Amino acid sequence: MQSFFERRPSSLDTTQPGIRHIQTLIRQATPVRLTVVGNLDLEGTIQWQDLFYLAIREQGGSLTLVNREAVVCLRALA
């Protein structure tokens, strides 16, 4: 739920370079490594993104949703 003081857009702003970069990673099915809060690493390909989450398909085939605010580092592996 959004607080009164917090301003979030109602949709992804595709003019932002970070959003465009992630969309390119999705289109090209580039393998990535996500480091999330707690020093947990996830490797796989990003399937989709929205305002709050990234969906990453890990090597074993499972789909994991990651809160965008919990991502510490995103690295392309290829």
Side-chain angles (χ1 to χ4, degrees), residues 25 30-34 42-45 56 59 74-78:
L25 294 172
T30 304
V32 297
R33 176 180 294 136
L34 283 178
L42 301 170
E43 288 187 10
T45 55
I56 183 168
Q59 307 297 0
L74 174 110
R75 288 191 180 120
L77 297 177

Side-chain angles (χ1 to χ4, degrees), residues 34-74:
L34 283 178
T35 303
V36 296
V37 173
N39 208 26
L40 174 67
D41 286 335
L42 301 170
E43 288 187 10
T45 55
I46 301 173
Q47 300 297 299
W48 54 263
Q49 67 174 332
D50 65 14
L51 287 175
F52 305 105
Y53 291 95
L54 297 172
I56 183 168
R57 184 162 313 275
E58 296 183 78
Q59 307 297 0
S62 63
L63 191 66
T64 304
L65 296 179
V66 179
N67 190 312
R68 294 173 72 91
E69 294 178 1
V71 175
V72 176
C73 183
L74 174 110

